[in-house]
Amino acid sequence: MIENGICFSSPQLANVAPLIYTLASWRYPHQSFETPVIYTIIAMGAMACLLLAFLWDVTSEIAGTQHSTALLILQFFLALVDCTSSVAFLPFMFTLKAQYMTAYFIGEGFSGLIPSLVALGQGAGSMECVTVMASSASGGNDSQIEQTFSKFYNNNTNKGLLESSEFNFSYPIAMQRSTESTESPVLYVYPKYQEPRFSVSTFFFILMIFLIFSNISFTLLKYWSYCKREYNSQGIEVVGDSSELAMLEKVEDLLPNDCRSTKSAALSEFNCKTVNELEKYLESQKNKKKNANVYNFELLESKKPSPETEQLNCSQSSGAFEEESSSSTSFCEKPKMEMSKAKLILFLILTAWLNAVSNGVLPSIQTYSCLPYGIKPYHLSVTLAAIANPVACFAASLITISSIFSTLVMTALGSTLAGYIVFTAAASPNPPLVGMMAGTTVLVLCWILVVFVLTYSKVCIASTFREEGQGRKALLWVGAFTQMGSLAGALVAFLLINVYKVFTQGNPCLI
C-alpha cells in the first residue's frame, strides 16, 4: 500500500511544474517561455529514460524495507515532462497556422500508440493459465499450494510478481478454486506471466530515441526557414538584440512572397503599406525599448489599415497575386469570431472533465473492466483504443465542431460510454455478459468508441480556442485545464481503488 501511494504521489507532485509555468506566463504576459521550457523537458525526459535503462531495478533500504527509489525518482522527472508538455506545447502551436492544431493532437495520440505497440512487441502482459493441484491431506493448505506454485514461478520476472500483494496466496483473485468440493483433489488456476521478448532496459532506450527525434523535430519547427513560412502572422516573435534590418528579415519570412521586397515594382498598394507599417512599428519599438529582448508583434493588429482600406487593397491585389497569396500568410483574411466569456468558461470546464475521464479514470480501471472477459479482450481493448486516439484527431482535421450544442452532445455520448466502462469495472469479477461473445464485443467496442469520442471532443475544443480565443493566452488555459482535469481524475481513481477498495480484479484464467 505504501509503494502504491508513492507511485501515485510521485507523478502528481509533478503538477507543480505546470502551475509554476502558468503563473509565470500570467505574471509576464509579454515574455515567451515556450522554447526554453520545451527544450528543457525533452532533454529531461531523454535523460530520465537513459538512467531508467540502467537503474529501473535498483532498490535501496528505507526503514528496514526495500524500495525502488531510483524508479520512483526518475518516474517523478518523467511526470514533469508529461505534465508540463500540455501547457508548453499548446501555446507554441499558436505560432503555426490554425490547420496544424490537429497535427499536434495526432502526434500526441501516436505518443501513446507507439510505446503501446512496442510494449506489445515486447510481450508485456503476456500470460498463460496454469492449474495447480493440492492434495486433500493438506485440505488446500496455502503452504503446500505455494510450494507447488513456486515450481512454475521460478524465474526472476515471476518471482517479483509472486512477492507482490496482487499475487499473494491470501488474495482472493490471484488463485481461485475450480471445484466447490473440499474433497481431493483441489484445483487452483492462476495466471503465469511469460518472459518478455526484450529487456526493460531496451524498452527505455527506445523511448529515449523517440525523445531525441522529438528534439530534432522541434528544432526544425523553430529554426528551419521552410517551417517558418507556415507561421501565423499574429504570433510573430523576434528574440534578441537584433537590428531593425535583421528583425525585418525574420518578419519577412512570415509575409506573402509578394511582400518579401519593398523595392519590387510588382508590389500592390496594400502590400507596400503592410511592409511600411512593419517598418514604422519596428522603429517605434526600437526607440522605446532598446534593451528589450522580446518584441511581441501581436500589437500589429492595432496597426493594420482600416477595414474599408483593407477591403479595397485586397480587391486591388487579388488579381495579380491571387494564386500566390492563397498559399501564404496574408493580412487580407476575414476577421475571426471572438469567443464569448460564457462559451470560454464552459469549454474550459468541458476540457477539464474530458481529460479527467480519459487521462485519469479510464486508464486506472482498464484492467478491472477488461480482465474478467479474458486476456485477449484486454489486449484488444488496449491496442484498438490506442489506435482510436490518432484516428479521432485525423477525423477532427476533416470535420470540426465548434458549437456549444454539438460539443455538449459529443461530451454526453463519451461520458455515457465511460459510465458503462466504470460499471463493468465496479461489477468485476462478474461484469455484465461475462463469458459471452456479446459481452466481449460490447466491451471492446465501448473502449474504442469512448477513446474516439473523448479525443475528438478535446481536439475540437482546442481548435475552437485556436480559432476564436485570444491567442497564446487561450491555449495556455486549455493546457492548464487539461492538466487540472487529469490530476483530478487520477486522484479520484486512486481513492476508489486503493483507499475505498471499490474495484476487485477478475481472474482472466476463469474464462
Side-chain angles (χ1 to χ4, degrees):
M1 179 67 182
I2 296 176
E3 202 77 22
N4 290 339
I6 297 175
C7 286
F8 171 79
S9 301
S10 179
Q12 304 316 316
L13 288 175
N15 282 284
V16 68
L19 176 61
I20 293 174
Y21 181 90
T22 304
L23 291 176
S25 299
W26 173 77
R27 178 65 179 82
Y28 304 100
H30 298 299
Q31 295 290 329
S32 176
F33 300 103
E34 291 94 356
T35 299
V37 169
I38 290 174
Y39 274 121
T40 300
I41 62 177
I42 293 177
M44 184 187 301
M47 183 59 65
C49 289
L50 176 63
L51 294 176
L52 278 169
F54 298 101
L55 305 175
W56 69 272
D57 58 346
V58 174
T59 61
S60 59
E61 186 174 337
I62 301 177
T65 307
Q66 292 292 326
H67 294 279
S68 301
T69 50
L71 177 64
L72 293 174
I73 292 173
L74 293 173
Q75 178 194 32
F76 170 76
F77 285 102
L78 283 179
L80 281 176
V81 177
D82 186 41
C83 295
T84 313
S85 61
S86 298
V87 293
F89 290 163
L90 278 172
F92 177 79
M93 290 306 299
F94 183 73
T95 305
L96 301 173
K97 294 178 182 178
Q99 59 263 33
Y100 294 106
M101 177 62 72
T102 53
Y104 162 77
F105 283 101
I106 291 175
E108 188 178 70
F110 276 110
S111 70
L113 173 62
I114 294 176
S116 297
L117 294 179
V118 173
L120 287 175
Q122 183 190 28
S126 298
M127 64 178 74
E128 61 179 345
C129 296
V130 178
T131 301
V132 177
M133 182 173 62
S135 65
S136 59
S138 66
N141 183 269
D142 281 350
S143 62
Q144 181 186 3
I145 299 169
E146 182 169 351
Q147 292 176 2
T148 309
F149 188 84
S150 299
K151 292 179 182 179
F152 296 93
Y153 257 68
N154 55 7
N155 57 63
N156 290 334
T157 302
N158 295 331
K159 282 180 182 178
L161 293 171
L162 178 63
E163 294 169 358
S164 67
S165 60
E166 185 176 354
F167 290 90
N168 189 283
F169 297 101
S170 61
Y171 196 73
I173 297 305
M175 296 169 53
Q176 298 187 18
R177 297 189 183 188
S178 59
T179 63
E180 297 179 359
S181 174
T182 58
E183 298 178 358
S184 177
V186 179
L187 300 179
Y188 290 81
V189 183
Y190 65 90
K192 175 187 174 183
Y193 285 84
Q194 300 175 350
E195 283 283 351
R197 296 184 181 91
F198 53 85
S199 66
V200 176
S201 298
T202 303
F203 178 80
F204 283 119
F205 278 129
I206 294 173
L207 294 185
M208 183 189 70
I209 293 173
F210 286 152
L211 285 166
I212 292 174
F213 277 115
S214 297
N215 186 54
I216 295 173
S217 300
F218 178 71
T219 301
L220 292 176
L221 280 176
K222 185 67 180 176
Y223 299 107
W224 191 15
S225 59
Y226 178 82
C227 295
K228 285 186 175 182
R229 294 192 185 102
E230 300 301 309
Y231 277 18
N232 166 38
S233 59
Q234 293 176 320
I236 304 172
E237 285 187 351
V238 181
V239 182
D241 290 329
S242 303
S243 64
E244 178 183 343
L245 179 60
M247 286 186 285
L248 273 173
E249 289 176 351
K250 293 183 179 180
V251 171
E252 284 177 356
D253 287 339
L254 311 178
L255 295 175
N257 292 331
D258 51 330
C259 288
R260 299 291 169 82
S261 174
T262 58
K263 298 180 180 180
S264 174
L267 283 176
S268 66
E269 179 185 354
F270 170 70
N271 290 323
C272 291
K273 284 187 177 182
T274 300
V275 177
N276 289 333
E277 292 293 340
L278 284 172
E279 290 176 342
K280 292 178 182 178
Y281 177 72
L282 291 172
E283 181 65 29
S284 63
Q285 289 296 317
K286 182 179 178 182
N287 294 332
K288 292 179 181 179
K289 300 182 178 180
K290 293 183 179 179
N291 298 325
N293 292 326
V294 178
Y295 289 89
N296 190 330
F297 284 83
E298 291 181 358
L299 297 177
L300 280 174
E301 289 297 315
S302 61
K303 298 288 184 178
K304 289 169 57 178
S306 64
E308 295 80 6
T309 305
E310 183 176 353
Q311 183 177 2
L312 175 63
N313 292 328
C314 285
S315 60
Q316 291 175 350
S317 60
S318 60
F321 305 102
E322 183 177 4
E323 181 178 354
E324 187 171 16
S325 62
S326 63
S327 59
S328 56
T329 306
S330 175
F331 289 99
C332 296
E333 296 174 354
K334 295 180 180 180
K336 63 180 183 179
M337 297 175 57
E338 290 189 2
M339 184 180 296
S340 65
K341 186 175 181 180
K343 184 177 181 179
L344 184 144
I345 295 174
L346 175 62
F347 275 22
L348 286 178
I349 294 174
L350 291 179
T351 297
W353 168 254
L354 292 169
N355 284 278
V357 175
S358 62
N359 298 344
V361 176
L362 293 183
S364 303
I365 64 172
Q366 189 161 25
T367 55
Y368 299 98
S369 172
C370 298
L371 277 182
Y373 293 91
I375 300 171
K376 289 184 179 179
Y378 169 71
H379 283 296
L380 273 176
S381 64
V382 171
T383 306
L384 296 180
I387 295 174
N389 190 310
V391 171
C393 298
F394 180 75
S397 67
L398 301 177
I399 303 175
T400 304
I401 58 174
S402 59
S403 67
I404 295 177
F405 177 77
S406 300
T407 305
L408 287 175
V409 169
M410 293 297 292
T411 302
L413 176 61
S415 301
T416 302
L417 294 169
Y420 177 79
I421 291 174
V422 173
F423 173 70
T424 60
S428 176
N430 297 304
L433 303 176
V434 66
M436 301 174 60
M437 180 60 70
T440 301
T441 303
V442 170
L443 178 79
V444 174
L445 286 177
C446 275
W447 272 101
I448 297 172
L449 291 175
V450 74
V451 172
F452 181 90
V453 173
L454 294 180
T455 302
Y456 179 82
S457 302
K458 289 190 293 183
V459 175
C460 289
I461 289 176
S463 299
T464 303
F465 272 95
R466 173 65 181 79
E467 292 287 350
E468 303 179 14
Q470 300 175 355
R472 277 184 170 84
K473 183 179 179 181
L475 293 178
L476 175 65
W477 282 113
V478 172
F481 273 78
T482 295
Q483 206 53 47
M484 288 168 55
S486 301
L487 172 62
L491 178 61
V492 170
F494 174 78
L495 293 174
L496 293 177
I497 295 171
N498 296 288
V499 178
Y500 297 107
K501 307 291 184 182
V502 173
F503 304 104
T504 303
Q505 187 164 312
N507 189 345
C509 292
L510 297 182
I511 301 300

PDB file of all heavy atoms in Angstrom, residues 308-323:
ATOM      1  N   GLU A 308     -12.191  49.449 -44.337  1.00  0.00           N
ATOM      2  CA  GLU A 308     -12.544  49.896 -45.680  1.00  0.00           C
ATOM      3  C   GLU A 308     -11.320  49.887 -46.585  1.00  0.00           C
ATOM      4  O   GLU A 308     -11.355  49.416 -47.726  1.00  0.00           O
ATOM      5  CB  GLU A 308     -13.149  51.301 -45.624  1.00  0.00           C
ATOM      6  CG  GLU A 308     -14.491  51.365 -44.887  1.00  0.00           C
ATOM      7  CD  GLU A 308     -14.326  51.379 -43.376  1.00  0.00           C
ATOM      8  OE1 GLU A 308     -13.164  51.450 -42.904  1.00  0.00           O
ATOM      9  OE2 GLU A 308     -15.340  51.317 -42.667  1.00  0.00           O
ATOM     10  N   THR A 309     -10.193  50.433 -46.074  1.00  0.00           N
ATOM     11  CA  THR A 309      -8.958  50.463 -46.858  1.00  0.00           C
ATOM     12  C   THR A 309      -8.457  49.064 -47.139  1.00  0.00           C
ATOM     13  O   THR A 309      -7.999  48.747 -48.235  1.00  0.00           O
ATOM     14  CB  THR A 309      -7.877  51.263 -46.101  1.00  0.00           C
ATOM     15  OG1 THR A 309      -8.378  52.549 -45.801  1.00  0.00           O
ATOM     16  CG2 THR A 309      -6.612  51.374 -46.952  1.00  0.00           C
ATOM     17  N   GLU A 310      -8.561  48.213 -46.109  1.00  0.00           N
ATOM     18  CA  GLU A 310      -8.080  46.836 -46.255  1.00  0.00           C
ATOM     19  C   GLU A 310      -8.870  46.102 -47.331  1.00  0.00           C
ATOM     20  O   GLU A 310      -8.311  45.389 -48.169  1.00  0.00           O
ATOM     21  CB  GLU A 310      -8.200  46.106 -44.930  1.00  0.00           C
ATOM     22  CG  GLU A 310      -7.661  44.685 -44.973  1.00  0.00           C
ATOM     23  CD  GLU A 310      -7.698  44.029 -43.608  1.00  0.00           C
ATOM     24  OE1 GLU A 310      -8.007  44.733 -42.635  1.00  0.00           O
ATOM     25  OE2 GLU A 310      -7.421  42.832 -43.536  1.00  0.00           O
ATOM     26  N   GLN A 311     -10.221  46.289 -47.329  1.00  0.00           N
ATOM     27  CA  GLN A 311     -11.053  45.625 -48.318  1.00  0.00           C
ATOM     28  C   GLN A 311     -10.716  46.106 -49.721  1.00  0.00           C
ATOM     29  O   GLN A 311     -10.631  45.323 -50.668  1.00  0.00           O
ATOM     30  CB  GLN A 311     -12.524  45.870 -48.000  1.00  0.00           C
ATOM     31  CG  GLN A 311     -13.469  45.135 -48.957  1.00  0.00           C
ATOM     32  CD  GLN A 311     -14.912  45.343 -48.566  1.00  0.00           C
ATOM     33  OE1 GLN A 311     -15.191  46.069 -47.614  1.00  0.00           O
ATOM     34  NE2 GLN A 311     -15.819  44.728 -49.292  1.00  0.00           N
ATOM     35  N   LEU A 312     -10.474  47.429 -49.863  1.00  0.00           N
ATOM     36  CA  LEU A 312     -10.128  47.995 -51.156  1.00  0.00           C
ATOM     37  C   LEU A 312      -8.793  47.446 -51.639  1.00  0.00           C
ATOM     38  O   LEU A 312      -8.643  47.041 -52.790  1.00  0.00           O
ATOM     39  CB  LEU A 312     -10.095  49.527 -51.059  1.00  0.00           C
ATOM     40  CG  LEU A 312      -9.612  50.276 -52.332  1.00  0.00           C
ATOM     41  CD1 LEU A 312     -10.581  49.994 -53.473  1.00  0.00           C
ATOM     42  CD2 LEU A 312      -9.513  51.776 -52.048  1.00  0.00           C
ATOM     43  N   ASN A 313      -7.803  47.449 -50.762  1.00  0.00           N
ATOM     44  CA  ASN A 313      -6.470  46.975 -51.131  1.00  0.00           C
ATOM     45  C   ASN A 313      -6.473  45.495 -51.469  1.00  0.00           C
ATOM     46  O   ASN A 313      -5.749  45.036 -52.349  1.00  0.00           O
ATOM     47  CB  ASN A 313      -5.486  47.254 -49.994  1.00  0.00           C
ATOM     48  CG  ASN A 313      -5.227  48.743 -49.802  1.00  0.00           C
ATOM     49  OD1 ASN A 313      -5.262  49.501 -50.758  1.00  0.00           O
ATOM     50  ND2 ASN A 313      -4.988  49.143 -48.560  1.00  0.00           N
ATOM     51  N   CYS A 314      -7.283  44.729 -50.742  1.00  0.00           N
ATOM     52  CA  CYS A 314      -7.361  43.303 -51.016  1.00  0.00           C
ATOM     53  C   CYS A 314      -7.927  43.060 -52.402  1.00  0.00           C
ATOM     54  O   CYS A 314      -7.463  42.188 -53.133  1.00  0.00           O
ATOM     55  CB  CYS A 314      -8.221  42.589 -49.976  1.00  0.00           C
ATOM     56  SG  CYS A 314      -7.381  42.385 -48.404  1.00  0.00           S
ATOM     57  N   SER A 315      -8.941  43.848 -52.756  1.00  0.00           N
ATOM     58  CA  SER A 315      -9.534  43.661 -54.066  1.00  0.00           C
ATOM     59  C   SER A 315      -8.570  44.094 -55.161  1.00  0.00           C
ATOM     60  O   SER A 315      -8.541  43.520 -56.244  1.00  0.00           O
ATOM     61  CB  SER A 315     -10.837  44.456 -54.164  1.00  0.00           C
ATOM     62  OG  SER A 315     -10.588  45.851 -53.977  1.00  0.00           O
ATOM     63  N   GLN A 316      -7.725  45.122 -54.899  1.00  0.00           N
ATOM     64  CA  GLN A 316      -6.758  45.577 -55.891  1.00  0.00           C
ATOM     65  C   GLN A 316      -5.663  44.565 -56.133  1.00  0.00           C
ATOM     66  O   GLN A 316      -5.196  44.390 -57.250  1.00  0.00           O
ATOM     67  CB  GLN A 316      -6.142  46.905 -55.439  1.00  0.00           C
ATOM     68  CG  GLN A 316      -7.125  48.066 -55.473  1.00  0.00           C
ATOM     69  CD  GLN A 316      -6.515  49.331 -54.901  1.00  0.00           C
ATOM     70  OE1 GLN A 316      -5.434  49.289 -54.310  1.00  0.00           O
ATOM     71  NE2 GLN A 316      -7.190  50.449 -55.086  1.00  0.00           N
ATOM     72  N   SER A 317      -5.239  43.897 -55.052  1.00  0.00           N
ATOM     73  CA  SER A 317      -4.109  42.976 -55.178  1.00  0.00           C
ATOM     74  C   SER A 317      -4.539  41.556 -55.509  1.00  0.00           C
ATOM     75  O   SER A 317      -3.704  40.705 -55.732  1.00  0.00           O
ATOM     76  CB  SER A 317      -3.302  42.952 -53.877  1.00  0.00           C
ATOM     77  OG  SER A 317      -4.116  42.522 -52.810  1.00  0.00           O
ATOM     78  N   SER A 318      -5.858  41.295 -55.537  1.00  0.00           N
ATOM     79  CA  SER A 318      -6.308  39.921 -55.728  1.00  0.00           C
ATOM     80  C   SER A 318      -6.051  39.426 -57.142  1.00  0.00           C
ATOM     81  O   SER A 318      -5.909  38.226 -57.360  1.00  0.00           O
ATOM     82  CB  SER A 318      -7.802  39.809 -55.408  1.00  0.00           C
ATOM     83  OG  SER A 318      -8.537  40.660 -56.276  1.00  0.00           O
ATOM     84  N   GLY A 319      -5.978  40.345 -58.121  1.00  0.00           N
ATOM     85  CA  GLY A 319      -5.789  39.889 -59.483  1.00  0.00           C
ATOM     86  C   GLY A 319      -4.378  39.430 -59.767  1.00  0.00           C
ATOM     87  O   GLY A 319      -4.157  38.351 -60.306  1.00  0.00           O
ATOM     88  N   ALA A 320      -3.386  40.260 -59.422  1.00  0.00           N
ATOM     89  CA  ALA A 320      -2.008  39.945 -59.781  1.00  0.00           C
ATOM     90  C   ALA A 320      -1.415  38.845 -58.937  1.00  0.00           C
ATOM     91  O   ALA A 320      -0.574  38.087 -59.392  1.00  0.00           O
ATOM     92  CB  ALA A 320      -1.148  41.217 -59.675  1.00  0.00           C
ATOM     93  N   PHE A 321      -1.839  38.764 -57.698  1.00  0.00           N
ATOM     94  CA  PHE A 321      -1.178  37.848 -56.777  1.00  0.00           C
ATOM     95  C   PHE A 321      -2.154  36.838 -56.182  1.00  0.00           C
ATOM     96  O   PHE A 321      -1.943  36.341 -55.098  1.00  0.00           O
ATOM     97  CB  PHE A 321      -0.509  38.621 -55.634  1.00  0.00           C
ATOM     98  CG  PHE A 321       0.444  39.671 -56.133  1.00  0.00           C
ATOM     99  CD1 PHE A 321       0.065  41.002 -56.149  1.00  0.00           C
ATOM    100  CD2 PHE A 321       1.694  39.315 -56.596  1.00  0.00           C
ATOM    101  CE1 PHE A 321       0.933  41.963 -56.610  1.00  0.00           C
ATOM    102  CE2 PHE A 321       2.568  40.282 -57.054  1.00  0.00           C
ATOM    103  CZ  PHE A 321       2.181  41.613 -57.070  1.00  0.00           C
ATOM    104  N   GLU A 322      -3.237  36.557 -56.846  1.00  0.00           N
ATOM    105  CA  GLU A 322      -4.273  35.685 -56.283  1.00  0.00           C
ATOM    106  C   GLU A 322      -3.752  34.294 -55.997  1.00  0.00           C
ATOM    107  O   GLU A 322      -3.965  33.732 -54.931  1.00  0.00           O
ATOM    108  CB  GLU A 322      -5.458  35.605 -57.245  1.00  0.00           C
ATOM    109  CG  GLU A 322      -6.615  34.767 -56.698  1.00  0.00           C
ATOM    110  CD  GLU A 322      -7.780  34.781 -57.640  1.00  0.00           C
ATOM    111  OE1 GLU A 322      -7.665  35.372 -58.727  1.00  0.00           O
ATOM    112  OE2 GLU A 322      -8.806  34.203 -57.278  1.00  0.00           O
ATOM    113  N   GLU A 323      -2.997  33.734 -56.956  1.00  0.00           N
ATOM    114  CA  GLU A 323      -2.531  32.356 -56.790  1.00  0.00           C
ATOM    115  C   GLU A 323      -1.525  32.246 -55.671  1.00  0.00           C
ATOM    116  O   GLU A 323      -1.553  31.345 -54.856  1.00  0.00           O
ATOM    117  CB  GLU A 323      -1.931  31.858 -58.098  1.00  0.00           C
ATOM    118  CG  GLU A 323      -1.435  30.412 -58.007  1.00  0.00           C
ATOM    119  CD  GLU A 323      -0.892  29.933 -59.332  1.00  0.00           C
ATOM    120  OE1 GLU A 323      -1.016  30.693 -60.323  1.00  0.00           O
ATOM    121  OE2 GLU A 323      -0.341  28.821 -59.375  1.00  0.00           O
TER     122      GLU A 323
END
